[in-house]
Amino acid sequence: MSKDANPFESLQEQIDDASAYVGIGDDVIERLKRPERVLETTLTVEMDNGGLETFQAFRAQFNGDRGPYKGGIRYHPGVNRDEVKALSGWMVYKCALVDVPFGGGKGGIEVDPAAHSASEMERLSRAFAAELRPIIGVDRDIPAPDVNTGQQEMNWIKDTYETLERTTEPGVITGKAPDSGGSEGRVRATGRSVMFSTREALNWLGRDLAGATVAVQGYGNAGSVAAQALDQEGATVVSVSDSSGAIYNPEGLDTFAAKHHKTETGSVQEFAGATEVISNEDLLTLDVDVLIPAALENAIDASLAADIRADMIVEAANGPLTPGADEVLTDEDVYVVPDILANAGGVTVSYFEWVQNRNRFYWPEERVNNELETVITDGFDDLVAAFDEQDLPNLRTAAYVVALRRVASAYAQSGNWPWVYSRETEPHRLRAVCVRVACGSVDRVTFPRD
Ligand code: NAD
């Protein structure tokens, strides 16, 4: 993986690239490039041997103009402030692109979960939940799972919040197990949106998903479900990988058996259905119709991009391409379906989960899947309409054009009341006031009409 791109700078560059086409004032664009606030905290947790260990943890609340901050919590040794800031910004534009009424946030703990017992991870999760408690809430900031977190961690965080608040408020967090207020279809939602976006993008180019060859980097939640969903729609998944390496079969891998093997053994290595073991880099440069990076940021930099032979890249991971890679791939006419559409299934079904929690009325999985398909295909249509109408350089720029306009419009419509200050005001409203005071007068902030 490339170490040279700072994901927060990548996000800012993506916004800059799109800003040339949206007609929004530079002062407002500047505001849309930075988080409103970042919580950084040190968590001290008792280990099983009675000793104490400290962990750095973060929560960035990037923008709340369109609704409560929304975004996952990641447990990984590489978590840092800039990564969390970038991930929270991508959430803002993801929610705006698929028109889910949330802003963006993201959190993480710098920890290797594999090095800790379940009870240590429970204490760590509860310690983080206690720190988050004053700034999260069903109408304020709603966390969810991300890398190395899932239903168990969400259930612990929900329980800690509800116990400290003396309430039952399952909508404070999404991605929970169904018996704890989770939604049917949530676990598979991200992978399904990768499949829907791939299908829509291929159809748009006059091609079929059935028979397309696919390689998937990263066989975790997003990657394995995407591979299985594509497989079920008739695509041939020829290669998959995880941090231990990649496996290959030109006739196609059994994606369900490969997942079972990974669950049983901890990796995709030695899967009987593979004919070859290849390196992670070999997977990224295979001659396939669709390449799906589904691991972490910066998987493909400019030099690797020059060797890409796939016709299309669909970003299941957040930020897997550096801005340099984007430039090379645009020049080479490789279509990149951006992360803020392709993996938006996770936040979309999180939104459905939040709606169900608030209504205390739960949907069958079929309804979840149907509504998800509509949201993702509508998002793709909006993106392509902008791409065609404005003759934009690539699909990522089109996605940001649509999303930036929606966020800026919500900000403009909120109006201006810098002379009012109340301690009772919601935190995200206070932020709006402070920002507008800093702007001086709303008259200096102009917005074009759509
Ligand atoms: P996960 O932990 O379940 O899976 C990550 C996988 O990537 C693992 O199999 C790991 O072994 C593999 N991996 C790590 N480094 C690798 C490398 N160098 N080469 C090949 N494989 C490597 O995480 P996830 O939830 O699937 O998330 C993956 C990506 O998708 C992240 O960028 C995340 O932000 C994004 N995403 C996830 C969701 C979700 O609902 N899970 C939603 C939106 C976006």
Side-chain angles (χ1 to χ4, degrees), residues 52-114:
L52 298 177
E53 207 168 307
T54 55
F55 302 86
Q56 282 316 104
F58 307 87
R59 181 77 185 169
Q61 296 178 330
F62 200 96
N63 182 289
D65 291 337
R66 299 184 76 254
Y69 309 102
K70 184 86 188 84
I73 291 178
R74 176 175 291 195
Y75 291 176
H76 194 273
V79 163
N80 61 66
R81 197 179 175 94
D82 272 1
E83 181 187 65
V84 168
K85 281 160 61 176
L87 289 163
S88 67
W90 284 322
M91 288 306 299
V92 175
Y93 300 108
K94 187 179 303 183
C95 292
L97 175 63
V98 293
D99 216 359
V100 160
F102 288 139
K106 203 81 173 194
I109 306 179
E110 192 186 336
V111 58
D112 177 8

Side-chain angles (χ1 to χ4, degrees), residues 1 74-76 87 91 94 106 145-149 186-187 189-191 193 216-224 240-246 259 262 266 268 280-281 283-284 293-297 299 315-320 339 342-347 350:
M1 285 205 188
R74 176 175 291 195
Y75 291 176
H76 194 273
L87 289 163
M91 288 306 299
K94 187 179 303 183
K106 203 81 173 194
D146 192 68
V147 174
N148 289 327
T149 58
R186 173 62 183 85
V187 170
T190 303
S193 72
V216 182
Q217 181 216 29
Y219 216 53
N221 177 276
S224 66
V240 303
S241 69
D242 59 22
S243 42
S244 69
K259 179 63 180 176
K262 182 168 162 67
V268 296
N280 274 325
E281 184 159 329
L283 178 146
L284 295 171
L296 292 171
E297 303 92 71
E315 296 182 321
N318 286 306
D339 46 7
N343 69 30
V347 74
S350 275

Side-chain angles (χ1 to χ4, degrees), residues 86-349:
L87 289 163
S88 67
W90 284 322
M91 288 306 299
V92 175
Y93 300 108
K94 187 179 303 183
C95 292
L97 175 63
V98 293
D99 216 359
V100 160
F102 288 139
K106 203 81 173 194
I109 306 179
E110 192 186 336
V111 58
D112 177 8
H116 293 278
S117 68
S119 56
E120 287 172 350
M121 291 312 295
E122 177 172 358
R123 289 195 288 279
L124 180 61
S125 301
R126 289 189 186 279
F128 194 29
E131 280 296 314
L132 290 175
R133 186 188 61 81
I135 62 163
I136 62 174
V138 70
D139 284 318
R140 186 169 293 173
D141 184 352
I142 307 145
D146 192 68
V147 174
N148 289 327
T149 58
Q151 291 180 342
Q152 179 61 81
E153 291 75 15
M154 301 306 108
N155 296 346
W156 286 330
I157 294 171
K158 165 186 168 279
D159 178 66
T160 309
Y161 179 87
E162 289 183 336
T163 304
L164 294 175
E165 289 286 324
R166 296 210 226 162
T167 186
T168 56
E169 195 58 271
V172 70
I173 195 160
T174 58
K176 306 173 293 291
D179 285 341
S180 294
S183 175
E184 297 297 336
R186 173 62 183 85
V187 170
R188 301 184 69 78
T190 303
R192 289 182 66 76
S193 72
V194 174
M195 180 274 285
F196 291 135
S197 327
T198 309
R199 184 193 69 194
E200 293 303 297
L202 285 170
N203 289 350
W204 174 61
L205 295 173
R207 296 171 61 172
D208 268 343
L209 177 54
T213 52
V214 179
V216 182
Q217 181 216 29
Y219 216 53
N221 177 276
S224 66
V225 176
Q228 291 168 352
L230 289 160
D231 190 3
Q232 285 178 317
E233 295 298 311
T236 305
V237 179
V238 295
S239 187
V240 303
S241 69
D242 59 22
S243 42
S244 69
I247 54 172
Y248 178 70
N249 183 338
E251 300 304 318
L253 295 160
D254 179 334
T255 53
F256 288 87
K259 179 63 180 176
H260 181 70
H261 176 81
K262 182 168 162 67
T263 307
E264 292 292 302
T265 67
S267 92
V268 296
Q269 293 305 305
E270 295 178 20
F271 172 56
T275 53
E276 235 181 286
V277 172
I278 60 174
S279 71
N280 274 325
E281 184 159 329
D282 287 342
L283 178 146
L284 295 171
T285 55
L286 282 173
D287 186 4
V288 286
D289 296 312
V290 182
L291 172 64
I292 301 185
L296 292 171
E297 303 92 71
N298 298 338
I300 301 174
D301 61 12
S303 87
L304 189 62
D307 295 330
I308 294 284
R309 289 185 291 161
D311 298 340
M312 177 186 289
I313 296 180
V314 181
E315 296 182 321
N318 286 306
L321 271 55
T322 65
D326 254 346
E327 260 176 55
V328 172
L329 294 165
T330 300
D331 289 346
E332 296 291 323
D333 289 331
V334 176
Y335 287 97
V336 176
V337 181
D339 46 7
I340 62 171
L341 175 77
N343 69 30
V347 74
T348 302
V349 176

